Amino acid sequence: MPELPEVENIRRALEPHLAGKKVVRAAVRGTGLRVPFPTHFAERLKGATIRQVSRRAKYIIAELSTEEALLVHLGMTGRWRMERDGKSFEPGAFYYQSPMQPKHDHVTLMLEDGTLLAYNDTRRFGVIDLHPLSEVYQSTYLRNLGLEPTLEGLDFEKVRALFAARRSSIKATLLDQKVIAGIGNIYASEILYRAKIHPFLPTHLLSSKRSADKLKLLLRTTVEVLENAVYPTGEPITLRDEFKVYEKAGRACARRDCGGRIRKQTQNGRSSYFCPRCQKR
Ligand SMILES: [Zn+2]
């Protein structure tokens, strides 16, 4: 499942191909993905110029000249394919390796410069919807999303207040999209390892005065880990080898002076990876 850095990577790779381009034709196959396609979808897109491509959490937002926004969430298996001059490529492809099957193309857009853009989604958990541009941030998709994990978005006092009310584990809190938007299972483990915080630590303990430095470190680390995973060019990149704990169970802790071994433990139905020695509870 693409996490926030992958989505940002895809956004950056898509934008130069889409910004300023007019949609000359649009088509959908089937009735929808996780939610039904918007009514008259193809007609509403035809003739629209894409002004810019932005992002909120894991939603890609294409702002249209028709004062509507095309809202896209990749779900579990959503991907974009482009075809131009007889060549096919995947903007911002990440660690996906399997070739895309055209039978899973659910939406196709033809741009004025001859580029074909196809949204491909094997499991159809994605979302493609249209909303009035002026209200897109109040849409049901976006209005309840948590803080954006950037230095400006993760305001220390705001986070502290949110954390103070939570008895659940810090790992569960990091995954809760209503608290901080866009962190998934892989990066939650990586962030907690780098900040030396045990994934089972009750969240509210990080809101105490004594834990202020720890919380600041967690916020800084969150931004760093996610930013490090974003690349400016949208080249196909494999990040797996750069993970310190994710899927590294049994390996020696990357901190040489630690001597611990990475442990895998199920937490709320998901796998958590951590070093029990340097991530004290
Ligand atoms: Zn360690």
PDB file of all heavy atoms in Angstrom, residues 73-107:
ATOM      1  N   HIS A  73      -7.427   8.851  -4.402  1.00  0.00           N
ATOM      2  CA  HIS A  73      -6.733   8.097  -3.354  1.00  0.00           C
ATOM      3  C   HIS A  73      -6.394   6.741  -3.966  1.00  0.00           C
ATOM      4  O   HIS A  73      -7.239   6.120  -4.603  1.00  0.00           O
ATOM      5  CB  HIS A  73      -7.627   7.926  -2.130  1.00  0.00           C
ATOM      6  CG  HIS A  73      -6.896   7.414  -0.928  1.00  0.00           C
ATOM      7  ND1 HIS A  73      -6.438   6.118  -0.830  1.00  0.00           N
ATOM      8  CD2 HIS A  73      -6.541   8.028   0.219  1.00  0.00           C
ATOM      9  CE1 HIS A  73      -5.830   5.964   0.344  1.00  0.00           C
ATOM     10  NE2 HIS A  73      -5.873   7.109   1.005  1.00  0.00           N
ATOM     11  N   LEU A  74      -5.148   6.311  -3.781  1.00  0.00           N
ATOM     12  CA  LEU A  74      -4.695   5.100  -4.463  1.00  0.00           C
ATOM     13  C   LEU A  74      -5.124   3.813  -3.762  1.00  0.00           C
ATOM     14  O   LEU A  74      -4.922   2.723  -4.312  1.00  0.00           O
ATOM     15  CB  LEU A  74      -3.168   5.125  -4.609  1.00  0.00           C
ATOM     16  CG  LEU A  74      -2.605   6.343  -5.359  1.00  0.00           C
ATOM     17  CD1 LEU A  74      -1.096   6.397  -5.215  1.00  0.00           C
ATOM     18  CD2 LEU A  74      -3.000   6.320  -6.817  1.00  0.00           C
ATOM     19  N   GLY A  75      -5.706   3.940  -2.575  1.00  0.00           N
ATOM     20  CA  GLY A  75      -6.149   2.730  -1.869  1.00  0.00           C
ATOM     21  C   GLY A  75      -4.989   1.779  -1.634  1.00  0.00           C
ATOM     22  O   GLY A  75      -3.910   2.184  -1.223  1.00  0.00           O
ATOM     23  N   MET A  76      -5.214   0.502  -1.931  1.00  0.00           N
ATOM     24  CA  MET A  76      -4.164  -0.507  -1.739  1.00  0.00           C
ATOM     25  C   MET A  76      -3.275  -0.642  -2.970  1.00  0.00           C
ATOM     26  O   MET A  76      -2.071  -0.830  -2.864  1.00  0.00           O
ATOM     27  CB  MET A  76      -4.795  -1.881  -1.481  1.00  0.00           C
ATOM     28  CG  MET A  76      -5.778  -1.951  -0.333  1.00  0.00           C
ATOM     29  SD  MET A  76      -4.958  -2.087   1.243  1.00  0.00           S
ATOM     30  CE  MET A  76      -4.382  -3.784   1.172  1.00  0.00           C
ATOM     31  N   THR A  77      -3.884  -0.606  -4.137  1.00  0.00           N
ATOM     32  CA  THR A  77      -3.145  -1.014  -5.347  1.00  0.00           C
ATOM     33  C   THR A  77      -3.292  -0.028  -6.509  1.00  0.00           C
ATOM     34  O   THR A  77      -3.055  -0.397  -7.652  1.00  0.00           O
ATOM     35  CB  THR A  77      -3.626  -2.412  -5.818  1.00  0.00           C
ATOM     36  OG1 THR A  77      -5.063  -2.373  -5.954  1.00  0.00           O
ATOM     37  CG2 THR A  77      -3.263  -3.505  -4.833  1.00  0.00           C
ATOM     38  N   GLY A  78      -3.682   1.205  -6.211  1.00  0.00           N
ATOM     39  CA  GLY A  78      -3.854   2.178  -7.291  1.00  0.00           C
ATOM     40  C   GLY A  78      -2.516   2.634  -7.857  1.00  0.00           C
ATOM     41  O   GLY A  78      -1.553   2.842  -7.122  1.00  0.00           O
ATOM     42  N   ARG A  79      -2.448   2.761  -9.167  1.00  0.00           N
ATOM     43  CA  ARG A  79      -1.227   3.199  -9.857  1.00  0.00           C
ATOM     44  C   ARG A  79      -1.628   4.002 -11.082  1.00  0.00           C
ATOM     45  O   ARG A  79      -2.724   3.854 -11.610  1.00  0.00           O
ATOM     46  CB  ARG A  79      -0.417   1.978 -10.338  1.00  0.00           C
ATOM     47  CG  ARG A  79       0.004   1.062  -9.236  1.00  0.00           C
ATOM     48  CD  ARG A  79       0.324  -0.330  -9.746  1.00  0.00           C
ATOM     49  NE  ARG A  79       1.595  -0.386 -10.476  1.00  0.00           N
ATOM     50  CZ  ARG A  79       2.103  -1.539 -10.949  1.00  0.00           C
ATOM     51  NH1 ARG A  79       1.456  -2.672 -10.784  1.00  0.00           N
ATOM     52  NH2 ARG A  79       3.233  -1.524 -11.588  1.00  0.00           N
ATOM     53  N   TRP A  80      -0.710   4.830 -11.554  1.00  0.00           N
ATOM     54  CA  TRP A  80      -0.941   5.600 -12.777  1.00  0.00           C
ATOM     55  C   TRP A  80      -0.014   5.108 -13.874  1.00  0.00           C
ATOM     56  O   TRP A  80       1.152   4.813 -13.617  1.00  0.00           O
ATOM     57  CB  TRP A  80      -0.674   7.080 -12.537  1.00  0.00           C
ATOM     58  CG  TRP A  80      -1.679   7.751 -11.678  1.00  0.00           C
ATOM     59  CD1 TRP A  80      -1.547   8.045 -10.350  1.00  0.00           C
ATOM     60  CD2 TRP A  80      -2.971   8.221 -12.075  1.00  0.00           C
ATOM     61  NE1 TRP A  80      -2.681   8.679  -9.896  1.00  0.00           N
ATOM     62  CE2 TRP A  80      -3.563   8.800 -10.935  1.00  0.00           C
ATOM     63  CE3 TRP A  80      -3.685   8.210 -13.285  1.00  0.00           C
ATOM     64  CZ2 TRP A  80      -4.842   9.357 -10.969  1.00  0.00           C
ATOM     65  CZ3 TRP A  80      -4.952   8.772 -13.310  1.00  0.00           C
ATOM     66  CH2 TRP A  80      -5.518   9.341 -12.158  1.00  0.00           C
ATOM     67  N   ARG A  81      -0.534   5.063 -15.069  1.00  0.00           N
ATOM     68  CA  ARG A  81       0.310   4.734 -16.208  1.00  0.00           C
ATOM     69  C   ARG A  81       0.130   5.820 -17.254  1.00  0.00           C
ATOM     70  O   ARG A  81      -0.969   6.333 -17.448  1.00  0.00           O
ATOM     71  CB  ARG A  81      -0.087   3.380 -16.801  1.00  0.00           C
ATOM     72  CG  ARG A  81       0.895   2.872 -17.850  1.00  0.00           C
ATOM     73  CD  ARG A  81       0.517   1.532 -18.443  1.00  0.00           C
ATOM     74  NE  ARG A  81      -0.644   1.643 -19.301  1.00  0.00           N
ATOM     75  CZ  ARG A  81      -1.835   1.185 -19.007  1.00  0.00           C
ATOM     76  NH1 ARG A  81      -2.045   0.550 -17.860  1.00  0.00           N
ATOM     77  NH2 ARG A  81      -2.841   1.340 -19.837  1.00  0.00           N
ATOM     78  N   MET A  82       1.220   6.167 -17.905  1.00  0.00           N
ATOM     79  CA  MET A  82       1.134   7.161 -18.977  1.00  0.00           C
ATOM     80  C   MET A  82       1.621   6.532 -20.260  1.00  0.00           C
ATOM     81  O   MET A  82       2.541   5.709 -20.255  1.00  0.00           O
ATOM     82  CB  MET A  82       2.007   8.366 -18.649  1.00  0.00           C
ATOM     83  CG  MET A  82       1.343   9.291 -17.677  1.00  0.00           C
ATOM     84  SD  MET A  82       2.310  10.792 -17.498  1.00  0.00           S
ATOM     85  CE  MET A  82       1.073  11.792 -16.713  1.00  0.00           C
ATOM     86  N   GLU A  83       1.002   6.942 -21.345  1.00  0.00           N
ATOM     87  CA  GLU A  83       1.451   6.483 -22.662  1.00  0.00           C
ATOM     88  C   GLU A  83       1.608   7.699 -23.546  1.00  0.00           C
ATOM     89  O   GLU A  83       0.688   8.524 -23.651  1.00  0.00           O
ATOM     90  CB  GLU A  83       0.424   5.517 -23.273  1.00  0.00           C
ATOM     91  CG  GLU A  83       0.410   4.164 -22.568  1.00  0.00           C
ATOM     92  CD  GLU A  83      -0.727   3.260 -23.027  1.00  0.00           C
ATOM     93  OE1 GLU A  83      -1.298   3.524 -24.113  1.00  0.00           O
ATOM     94  OE2 GLU A  83      -1.049   2.314 -22.288  1.00  0.00           O
ATOM     95  N   ARG A  84       2.801   7.799 -24.131  1.00  0.00           N
ATOM     96  CA  ARG A  84       3.050   8.922 -25.041  1.00  0.00           C
ATOM     97  C   ARG A  84       4.073   8.485 -26.080  1.00  0.00           C
ATOM     98  O   ARG A  84       5.052   7.845 -25.733  1.00  0.00           O
ATOM     99  CB  ARG A  84       3.561  10.143 -24.278  1.00  0.00           C
ATOM    100  CG  ARG A  84       3.600  11.383 -25.148  1.00  0.00           C
ATOM    101  CD  ARG A  84       3.687  12.649 -24.331  1.00  0.00           C
ATOM    102  NE  ARG A  84       4.803  12.599 -23.409  1.00  0.00           N
ATOM    103  CZ  ARG A  84       4.856  13.262 -22.267  1.00  0.00           C
ATOM    104  NH1 ARG A  84       3.850  14.000 -21.883  1.00  0.00           N
ATOM    105  NH2 ARG A  84       5.896  13.172 -21.495  1.00  0.00           N
ATOM    106  N   ASP A  85       3.867   8.856 -27.314  1.00  0.00           N
ATOM    107  CA  ASP A  85       4.769   8.492 -28.413  1.00  0.00           C
ATOM    108  C   ASP A  85       5.046   6.988 -28.422  1.00  0.00           C
ATOM    109  O   ASP A  85       6.187   6.559 -28.582  1.00  0.00           O
ATOM    110  CB  ASP A  85       6.099   9.260 -28.314  1.00  0.00           C
ATOM    111  CG  ASP A  85       5.863  10.769 -28.259  1.00  0.00           C
ATOM    112  OD1 ASP A  85       4.900  11.234 -28.905  1.00  0.00           O
ATOM    113  OD2 ASP A  85       6.630  11.466 -27.570  1.00  0.00           O
ATOM    114  N   GLY A  86       4.030   6.215 -28.151  1.00  0.00           N
ATOM    115  CA  GLY A  86       4.177   4.761 -28.189  1.00  0.00           C
ATOM    116  C   GLY A  86       4.907   4.175 -26.990  1.00  0.00           C
ATOM    117  O   GLY A  86       5.145   2.976 -26.924  1.00  0.00           O
ATOM    118  N   LYS A  87       5.290   5.032 -26.017  1.00  0.00           N
ATOM    119  CA  LYS A  87       5.993   4.531 -24.837  1.00  0.00           C
ATOM    120  C   LYS A  87       5.071   4.586 -23.633  1.00  0.00           C
ATOM    121  O   LYS A  87       4.291   5.524 -23.466  1.00  0.00           O
ATOM    122  CB  LYS A  87       7.226   5.393 -24.559  1.00  0.00           C
ATOM    123  CG  LYS A  87       8.387   5.045 -25.449  1.00  0.00           C
ATOM    124  CD  LYS A  87       9.653   5.722 -24.919  1.00  0.00           C
ATOM    125  CE  LYS A  87      10.725   5.761 -25.989  1.00  0.00           C
ATOM    126  NZ  LYS A  87      11.208   7.101 -26.296  1.00  0.00           N
ATOM    127  N   SER A  88       5.217   3.576 -22.781  1.00  0.00           N
ATOM    128  CA  SER A  88       4.401   3.492 -21.585  1.00  0.00           C
ATOM    129  C   SER A  88       5.309   3.647 -20.369  1.00  0.00           C
ATOM    130  O   SER A  88       6.387   3.061 -20.317  1.00  0.00           O
ATOM    131  CB  SER A  88       3.711   2.123 -21.587  1.00  0.00           C
ATOM    132  OG  SER A  88       2.945   1.979 -20.423  1.00  0.00           O
ATOM    133  N   PHE A  89       4.926   4.460 -19.406  1.00  0.00           N
ATOM    134  CA  PHE A  89       5.738   4.600 -18.197  1.00  0.00           C
ATOM    135  C   PHE A  89       4.853   4.877 -16.988  1.00  0.00           C
ATOM    136  O   PHE A  89       3.698   5.280 -17.131  1.00  0.00           O
ATOM    137  CB  PHE A  89       6.806   5.683 -18.354  1.00  0.00           C
ATOM    138  CG  PHE A  89       6.273   7.041 -18.705  1.00  0.00           C
ATOM    139  CD1 PHE A  89       6.167   8.033 -17.744  1.00  0.00           C
ATOM    140  CD2 PHE A  89       5.872   7.333 -20.003  1.00  0.00           C
ATOM    141  CE1 PHE A  89       5.667   9.295 -18.057  1.00  0.00           C
ATOM    142  CE2 PHE A  89       5.375   8.590 -20.332  1.00  0.00           C
ATOM    143  CZ  PHE A  89       5.272   9.570 -19.362  1.00  0.00           C
ATOM    144  N   GLU A  90       5.420   4.636 -15.803  1.00  0.00           N
ATOM    145  CA  GLU A  90       4.664   4.813 -14.557  1.00  0.00           C
ATOM    146  C   GLU A  90       5.281   5.950 -13.758  1.00  0.00           C
ATOM    147  O   GLU A  90       6.349   5.787 -13.178  1.00  0.00           O
ATOM    148  CB  GLU A  90       4.692   3.506 -13.743  1.00  0.00           C
ATOM    149  CG  GLU A  90       3.878   3.606 -12.467  1.00  0.00           C
ATOM    150  CD  GLU A  90       3.769   2.284 -11.702  1.00  0.00           C
ATOM    151  OE1 GLU A  90       4.290   1.263 -12.191  1.00  0.00           O
ATOM    152  OE2 GLU A  90       3.170   2.300 -10.616  1.00  0.00           O
ATOM    153  N   PRO A  91       4.621   7.107 -13.706  1.00  0.00           N
ATOM    154  CA  PRO A  91       5.202   8.232 -12.977  1.00  0.00           C
ATOM    155  C   PRO A  91       5.278   7.934 -11.480  1.00  0.00           C
ATOM    156  O   PRO A  91       4.297   7.537 -10.869  1.00  0.00           O
ATOM    157  CB  PRO A  91       4.226   9.388 -13.238  1.00  0.00           C
ATOM    158  CG  PRO A  91       3.250   8.889 -14.250  1.00  0.00           C
ATOM    159  CD  PRO A  91       3.294   7.398 -14.230  1.00  0.00           C
ATOM    160  N   GLY A  92       6.476   8.109 -10.930  1.00  0.00           N
ATOM    161  CA  GLY A  92       6.648   7.937  -9.490  1.00  0.00           C
ATOM    162  C   GLY A  92       6.568   6.492  -9.032  1.00  0.00           C
ATOM    163  O   GLY A  92       6.327   6.233  -7.852  1.00  0.00           O
ATOM    164  N   ALA A  93       6.818   5.552  -9.944  1.00  0.00           N
ATOM    165  CA  ALA A  93       6.749   4.128  -9.561  1.00  0.00           C
ATOM    166  C   ALA A  93       7.676   3.875  -8.382  1.00  0.00           C
ATOM    167  O   ALA A  93       8.789   4.377  -8.352  1.00  0.00           O
ATOM    168  CB  ALA A  93       7.156   3.254 -10.733  1.00  0.00           C
ATOM    169  N   PHE A  94       7.212   3.106  -7.446  1.00  0.00           N
ATOM    170  CA  PHE A  94       8.033   2.867  -6.272  1.00  0.00           C
ATOM    171  C   PHE A  94       8.513   1.441  -6.240  1.00  0.00           C
ATOM    172  O   PHE A  94       9.228   0.990  -7.107  1.00  0.00           O
ATOM    173  CB  PHE A  94       7.261   3.277  -5.022  1.00  0.00           C
ATOM    174  CG  PHE A  94       8.067   4.241  -4.213  1.00  0.00           C
ATOM    175  CD1 PHE A  94       8.265   5.528  -4.665  1.00  0.00           C
ATOM    176  CD2 PHE A  94       8.667   3.857  -3.036  1.00  0.00           C
ATOM    177  CE1 PHE A  94       9.047   6.425  -3.952  1.00  0.00           C
ATOM    178  CE2 PHE A  94       9.431   4.746  -2.306  1.00  0.00           C
ATOM    179  CZ  PHE A  94       9.619   6.030  -2.762  1.00  0.00           C
ATOM    180  N   TYR A  95       8.107   0.701  -5.269  1.00  0.00           N
ATOM    181  CA  TYR A  95       8.623  -0.653  -5.209  1.00  0.00           C
ATOM    182  C   TYR A  95       7.668  -1.655  -5.861  1.00  0.00           C
ATOM    183  O   TYR A  95       7.716  -2.830  -5.603  1.00  0.00           O
ATOM    184  CB  TYR A  95       8.970  -1.070  -3.772  1.00  0.00           C
ATOM    185  CG  TYR A  95       7.972  -0.612  -2.748  1.00  0.00           C
ATOM    186  CD1 TYR A  95       6.748  -1.242  -2.635  1.00  0.00           C
ATOM    187  CD2 TYR A  95       8.258   0.456  -1.914  1.00  0.00           C
ATOM    188  CE1 TYR A  95       5.832  -0.817  -1.705  1.00  0.00           C
ATOM    189  CE2 TYR A  95       7.341   0.888  -0.965  1.00  0.00           C
ATOM    190  CZ  TYR A  95       6.144   0.251  -0.869  1.00  0.00           C
ATOM    191  OH  TYR A  95       5.239   0.674   0.052  1.00  0.00           O
ATOM    192  N   TYR A  96       6.792  -1.150  -6.654  1.00  0.00           N
ATOM    193  CA  TYR A  96       5.961  -2.051  -7.442  1.00  0.00           C
ATOM    194  C   TYR A  96       6.816  -2.630  -8.552  1.00  0.00           C
ATOM    195  O   TYR A  96       7.490  -1.900  -9.241  1.00  0.00           O
ATOM    196  CB  TYR A  96       4.822  -1.287  -8.097  1.00  0.00           C
ATOM    197  CG  TYR A  96       3.907  -0.601  -7.142  1.00  0.00           C
ATOM    198  CD1 TYR A  96       3.862   0.784  -7.103  1.00  0.00           C
ATOM    199  CD2 TYR A  96       3.095  -1.331  -6.298  1.00  0.00           C
ATOM    200  CE1 TYR A  96       3.009   1.428  -6.242  1.00  0.00           C
ATOM    201  CE2 TYR A  96       2.242  -0.683  -5.430  1.00  0.00           C
ATOM    202  CZ  TYR A  96       2.203   0.684  -5.408  1.00  0.00           C
ATOM    203  OH  TYR A  96       1.363   1.309  -4.556  1.00  0.00           O
ATOM    204  N   GLN A  97       6.737  -3.911  -8.756  1.00  0.00           N
ATOM    205  CA  GLN A  97       7.509  -4.481  -9.842  1.00  0.00           C
ATOM    206  C   GLN A  97       6.643  -5.097 -10.929  1.00  0.00           C
ATOM    207  O   GLN A  97       7.032  -5.142 -12.076  1.00  0.00           O
ATOM    208  CB  GLN A  97       8.480  -5.545  -9.311  1.00  0.00           C
ATOM    209  CG  GLN A  97       9.856  -4.979  -9.006  1.00  0.00           C
ATOM    210  CD  GLN A  97      10.147  -4.928  -7.546  1.00  0.00           C
ATOM    211  OE1 GLN A  97       9.669  -5.757  -6.794  1.00  0.00           O
ATOM    212  NE2 GLN A  97      10.917  -3.950  -7.113  1.00  0.00           N
ATOM    213  N   SER A  98       5.459  -5.551 -10.542  1.00  0.00           N
ATOM    214  CA  SER A  98       4.665  -6.287 -11.521  1.00  0.00           C
ATOM    215  C   SER A  98       4.158  -5.338 -12.609  1.00  0.00           C
ATOM    216  O   SER A  98       3.840  -4.193 -12.332  1.00  0.00           O
ATOM    217  CB  SER A  98       3.470  -6.936 -10.818  1.00  0.00           C
ATOM    218  OG  SER A  98       2.695  -5.929 -10.208  1.00  0.00           O
ATOM    219  N   PRO A  99       4.119  -5.817 -13.852  1.00  0.00           N
ATOM    220  CA  PRO A  99       3.567  -4.968 -14.909  1.00  0.00           C
ATOM    221  C   PRO A  99       2.068  -4.754 -14.698  1.00  0.00           C
ATOM    222  O   PRO A  99       1.383  -5.617 -14.154  1.00  0.00           O
ATOM    223  CB  PRO A  99       3.838  -5.769 -16.190  1.00  0.00           C
ATOM    224  CG  PRO A  99       4.129  -7.157 -15.767  1.00  0.00           C
ATOM    225  CD  PRO A  99       4.513  -7.155 -14.324  1.00  0.00           C
ATOM    226  N   MET A 100       1.581  -3.605 -15.119  1.00  0.00           N
ATOM    227  CA  MET A 100       0.159  -3.320 -14.956  1.00  0.00           C
ATOM    228  C   MET A 100      -0.642  -4.009 -16.040  1.00  0.00           C
ATOM    229  O   MET A 100      -0.222  -4.054 -17.185  1.00  0.00           O
ATOM    230  CB  MET A 100      -0.067  -1.821 -15.069  1.00  0.00           C
ATOM    231  CG  MET A 100       0.037  -1.115 -13.770  1.00  0.00           C
ATOM    232  SD  MET A 100      -0.298   0.639 -14.015  1.00  0.00           S
ATOM    233  CE  MET A 100       1.344   1.285 -13.854  1.00  0.00           C
ATOM    234  N   GLN A 101      -1.792  -4.524 -15.664  1.00  0.00           N
ATOM    235  CA  GLN A 101      -2.659  -5.156 -16.658  1.00  0.00           C
ATOM    236  C   GLN A 101      -3.746  -4.179 -17.085  1.00  0.00           C
ATOM    237  O   GLN A 101      -4.511  -3.692 -16.246  1.00  0.00           O
ATOM    238  CB  GLN A 101      -3.283  -6.409 -16.068  1.00  0.00           C
ATOM    239  CG  GLN A 101      -2.226  -7.433 -15.703  1.00  0.00           C
ATOM    240  CD  GLN A 101      -2.827  -8.753 -15.302  1.00  0.00           C
ATOM    241  OE1 GLN A 101      -4.032  -8.953 -15.393  1.00  0.00           O
ATOM    242  NE2 GLN A 101      -1.969  -9.652 -14.850  1.00  0.00           N
ATOM    243  N   PRO A 102      -3.805  -3.897 -18.382  1.00  0.00           N
ATOM    244  CA  PRO A 102      -4.783  -2.911 -18.869  1.00  0.00           C
ATOM    245  C   PRO A 102      -6.220  -3.235 -18.472  1.00  0.00           C
ATOM    246  O   PRO A 102      -7.059  -2.336 -18.385  1.00  0.00           O
ATOM    247  CB  PRO A 102      -4.603  -2.949 -20.388  1.00  0.00           C
ATOM    248  CG  PRO A 102      -3.205  -3.448 -20.590  1.00  0.00           C
ATOM    249  CD  PRO A 102      -2.936  -4.400 -19.456  1.00  0.00           C
ATOM    250  N   LYS A 103      -6.507  -4.509 -18.176  1.00  0.00           N
ATOM    251  CA  LYS A 103      -7.898  -4.825 -17.790  1.00  0.00           C
ATOM    252  C   LYS A 103      -8.270  -4.179 -16.451  1.00  0.00           C
ATOM    253  O   LYS A 103      -9.450  -4.087 -16.114  1.00  0.00           O
ATOM    254  CB  LYS A 103      -8.119  -6.341 -17.740  1.00  0.00           C
ATOM    255  CG  LYS A 103      -7.386  -7.053 -16.626  1.00  0.00           C
ATOM    256  CD  LYS A 103      -7.783  -8.528 -16.541  1.00  0.00           C
ATOM    257  CE  LYS A 103      -6.960  -9.214 -15.475  1.00  0.00           C
ATOM    258  NZ  LYS A 103      -7.173 -10.627 -15.371  1.00  0.00           N
ATOM    259  N   HIS A 104      -7.253  -3.735 -15.688  1.00  0.00           N
ATOM    260  CA  HIS A 104      -7.537  -3.041 -14.430  1.00  0.00           C
ATOM    261  C   HIS A 104      -7.473  -1.518 -14.558  1.00  0.00           C
ATOM    262  O   HIS A 104      -7.446  -0.812 -13.565  1.00  0.00           O
ATOM    263  CB  HIS A 104      -6.585  -3.520 -13.334  1.00  0.00           C
ATOM    264  CG  HIS A 104      -6.735  -4.972 -13.002  1.00  0.00           C
ATOM    265  ND1 HIS A 104      -7.919  -5.504 -12.553  1.00  0.00           N
ATOM    266  CD2 HIS A 104      -5.863  -5.998 -13.077  1.00  0.00           C
ATOM    267  CE1 HIS A 104      -7.765  -6.809 -12.365  1.00  0.00           C
ATOM    268  NE2 HIS A 104      -6.526  -7.134 -12.682  1.00  0.00           N
ATOM    269  N   ASP A 105      -7.428  -1.025 -15.799  1.00  0.00           N
ATOM    270  CA  ASP A 105      -7.543   0.426 -16.013  1.00  0.00           C
ATOM    271  C   ASP A 105      -9.001   0.810 -15.777  1.00  0.00           C
ATOM    272  O   ASP A 105      -9.889   0.343 -16.491  1.00  0.00           O
ATOM    273  CB  ASP A 105      -7.172   0.793 -17.464  1.00  0.00           C
ATOM    274  CG  ASP A 105      -5.680   0.700 -17.725  1.00  0.00           C
ATOM    275  OD1 ASP A 105      -4.910   0.489 -16.770  1.00  0.00           O
ATOM    276  OD2 ASP A 105      -5.294   0.842 -18.899  1.00  0.00           O
ATOM    277  N   HIS A 106      -9.264   1.659 -14.799  1.00  0.00           N
ATOM    278  CA  HIS A 106     -10.655   2.020 -14.510  1.00  0.00           C
ATOM    279  C   HIS A 106     -11.023   3.399 -15.023  1.00  0.00           C
ATOM    280  O   HIS A 106     -12.179   3.691 -15.271  1.00  0.00           O
ATOM    281  CB  HIS A 106     -10.921   1.925 -13.006  1.00  0.00           C
ATOM    282  CG  HIS A 106     -10.665   0.553 -12.476  1.00  0.00           C
ATOM    283  ND1 HIS A 106     -11.437  -0.529 -12.838  1.00  0.00           N
ATOM    284  CD2 HIS A 106      -9.702   0.073 -11.668  1.00  0.00           C
ATOM    285  CE1 HIS A 106     -10.969  -1.614 -12.248  1.00  0.00           C
ATOM    286  NE2 HIS A 106      -9.912  -1.281 -11.538  1.00  0.00           N
ATOM    287  N   VAL A 107     -10.000   4.266 -15.127  1.00  0.00           N
ATOM    288  CA  VAL A 107     -10.244   5.612 -15.634  1.00  0.00           C
ATOM    289  C   VAL A 107      -9.136   5.945 -16.619  1.00  0.00           C
ATOM    290  O   VAL A 107      -7.967   5.671 -16.345  1.00  0.00           O
ATOM    291  CB  VAL A 107     -10.222   6.644 -14.472  1.00  0.00           C
ATOM    292  CG1 VAL A 107     -10.314   8.071 -15.005  1.00  0.00           C
ATOM    293  CG2 VAL A 107     -11.364   6.382 -13.494  1.00  0.00           C
TER     294      VAL A 107
END
